[in-house]
Amino acid sequence: MGVGGKALGRRSRAKKQTSEPPPEPARPRRRTGPLAVAAALALVVGLAALYAGFGRAAPVRREPGLDVLLITIDTLRADALGCYGNRTVETPWIDRLARDGVRFEQAHAQNVVTLPSHANILSGRYPLEHGVRDNSGFRFPGGTETLATILKRAGYRTAAFVSAFPLDSRFGLDRGFDLYDDRLGDPEASSAFMMQERPGPQTLAAAQAWRAAQGGAKTFLWLHLYEPHFPYEPPEPFASRYGSSLYHGEVAYTDSVLGPLLEPLLSAGKSGRTLVILTGDHGEGLGEHGEKTHGIFAYEATLHVPLVVYAPRLLGPRVVRSPVRHIDLLPTVLDALGLDAPAGLPGRSLLPVAAGHGESAVPSYFEALSASLNRGWAPLTGLRRDRFKLIDLPIPELYDLEADPHETKNLAVSDPRQLEEIRGVLASVRGADRGIARNEESAEARARLQSLGYTSGSAPRKARYTAEDDPKRLIDLDAGIQDVVTLYRQGLLPEAIARVNEVLAVRPDMPLALQHLAFLQRETGDLRGAVDTLRHSIAVDPDNTDAAALLGAYLNESGRGKEAVQLLQTFAERKDPDVDVLLARGAALAQIGDTQGALATFNRALAIDPSNAVAKANVGTVYLMLRDYPRAREVMEEALALDPNVSRAHNALGVIAAETGHLDDAIQHLKRAVELNPREWDTLFNLGKLLRRQGREAEARPYLERFVREAPPSQYGPDIRRLQATLAPPKS
Ligand SMILES: [Zn+2]
C-alpha cells in the first residue's frame, strides 16, 4: 500500500467498511500453517470444557486492516479492577471496556517481572524459547518475530510508548517499531532504588500525538503505563481517597489516565476500527504469602492478570472462564486480522473462545527466576494444568485452584500422584528450555547462545538447591529489602542502613543487599565504604555485572579512574558486554586521559544500543574535554534529539554557550539541566555564579542557597564555605 493512499485520512477508511467480506461461519477456516491447526483444536470441545460465557456462541469474525491498540498496565492484579469484582476501587473506563468487550476471568502471565512478561506478550513465546528470564542482563533475540515485526511487514505503522526502564530499547523489544518512545526523564537522575519511570499522562500524550499524526494509515500502537508499580504514590484526589490502600489508588488513577484514550473507542462501538487488548504484565503480592511486591513467588496474586479484548466489530460482550495465557495474545491478534502466525508457537488464538466456542484448558507454564539470578535462591518454575497448579521448588507446592483459590492448602504431600503427573508435563514443557545464557561457561556455548544475551545482576548458582534456598524460607529478607527502600524514601538514611545490615546478617553475600548498602553509604558521603562493599560483592560473585558497573561509577566519582579501568576490563571484553559497564569504563578512560579509548568505548555502547542518549552525551563530554566545541555541540544536540531529558547534554550546551559568550542561551540550558536533575551540583553552582556575574542576584540566590544546603560537603566543602560568606541574609 502506497503512502499516497493513506493521505486521504480516515474518510477513505470509513468507505472501505462497506466492502468488507461478510462474517464467517463458526467452523475452522481452511488455511495452511499452524494457525489452521490451532483454530481446529480450539473448536474441539474437550472433556473439561470450561467455557461459560453469557450469550450464545457467535460466528468467528475476522477483519484485515483493523488498528491494533495494546495497553499493558504494569503490576496490575486482576482483582484490583471493578470488572473483576472489586467493590471498593473505581475503574470506570476499564470496566466499560470489559463490559462491551470480552473479559477473560482466568488470564495468566508466564513471568512475574516486566521485561520477560512483555517479551512473552509481544512474541507469543515462552521465556524458555526467547531466553529473556529477568529484567536485567538479557536481551530479546534479534531473530525472533514479534507483533511489531509482523504487523510492520503487513503494512502497519507501528509505535510503542513505554513508561519504565525495564522496557528500554537496549533490551531489544524495539525491533519492528517505527517509533519506540522510551524517554523517561533524565536517564542519569535515577538511583539504585528508583526505577526510571514516566508519568502515565506524559506517555499517553505522546501516544495520542503519534496516533493523530498517522492519518488513515493502519496502526499498531503499544502503550505501557507504570503507575501501579511500587512505590505507591498516587496524586490527589486518589491519595486521599485511597489512603488505606495506595496501591489501589494508583490503579484508580491509571484508569482515569486512560479515559481520554478509551472514551472515543468506546463511543464508536461497532463503527470503530480498533482492536484493543488490555492486560497487566503481572500482579502484585500486597503481602500475600509474605510477598509485598512481585518477582519472588508465582502465586495467583502476581500471576493472575486482567485481560480484556475489545473489538465490537468482531466480538460481542462475553466473559470467558477458560484459563488463557499471555502467549495466546499474539496468535489472537494475528487471527483477528486474518494474518498467519509464525510456525511453532506454543500459544493459540483466543478468537474462537472469545466468540463463545468452548474449548479444553491448556497447560500454562510459568517461572519466577529473579531471586535465583539475583540472590542465589532456588529457581522457581511451575505449571498450571486444569484446576491444579504446581510450583516446583525444593519444597514443592501443589494447589487445587478451584477449591483453594488463595493457595493455602499445599497438596504436594497428600496427592503425590497428581504431583508427579504435573511434574511430568512441566518437564516436557521445559524440554524446550534453551538454557539461561549466564550458565554457559565455555566460549563456544556462549557463542551458540549469543542471541540470548547475558544476565547481569547475577548470583552464583548452585549444583543443588535445598530447602534452605527455598524462597518460602527467605521471603522475610525480601520484605527487609522493601523496608530499606521505604525508609530511604522517607529520608531515614541511618535506619535504612541498619535495616539492610539486618538482611546481610542473615544472608551476608546477597548481591542486591550489598548493592543497596553501597548506594546508601554513598548517600551518606562514605564513598570509600561504598567502594569496599561493592568490592566484596564482586569477590563473592565475580560475574556480577550490575555490581561491576556500579563499582566502576563510584571509583570514577572518587577520582580512582585507573582502578575502574582495570576492574572493568574483563567485563568489557566479553562478546556481548553490558552497556552500563561500557559507559562506566569509558568514563574511567576519559578520567585517566585516554580520550581515544573513551570515545571507542562509548561508540561500542552506541553500536549495541544506538538510541542510548547517555552514551551520546558521554561522547559529547569527551569532545568538551578536548575543547572541540563544534563537535561537542553537535553530539550533544544529537543526544537531545534522542532524549530531550538528558540533563548533562543541556549542561554541556550551557557551558559551551557560556564559553562562547552566548550568556542568555547558557542560562537557559543550565536552568533546564538543573530542573531535570536537581542533584547536578556543578550545574547548580555554575548557574548561580553565572546569574550573579550578570548582576541577576535575586535570580541567582535560590540556586546558590540550594547548593549550600544540599551539595555534599565531602565533595564541595570549600565551595560551600566560600558561598556561605556571600549569602548572608540581605539587610532590610
Ligand atoms: Zn512489570
Side-chain angles (χ1 to χ4, degrees), residues 73-80 107-114 117 228-230 232 247 251 279-286 288 291-306 326:
I73 301 173
D74 218 285
T75 320
L76 184 59
R77 281 173 72 115
D79 67 7
H108 281 88
Q110 272 61 64
N111 286 79
V112 289
V113 287
T114 306
S117 198
H229 198 280
F230 178 83
Y232 318 127
Y247 167 76
V251 172
T279 190
D281 60 345
H282 50 75
E284 186 79 322
L286 299 182
E288 287 184 36
E291 184 175 33
K292 288 189 178 179
T293 60
H294 58 269
I296 306 290
F297 289 145
Y299 296 109
E300 294 297 284
T302 57
L303 217 53
H304 181 203
V305 290
H326 269 161

Side-chain angles (χ1 to χ4, degrees), residues 605-617:
L606 279 168
I608 296 169
D609 182 11
S611 68
N612 193 309
V614 173
K616 263 278 185 237

Side-chain angles (χ1 to χ4, degrees), residues 10 35 101 135 281 318 365 486 511 718:
R10 300 217 165 251
L35 214 67
N135 277 342
D281 60 345
R318 188 173 298 278
Y365 168 81
T486 304

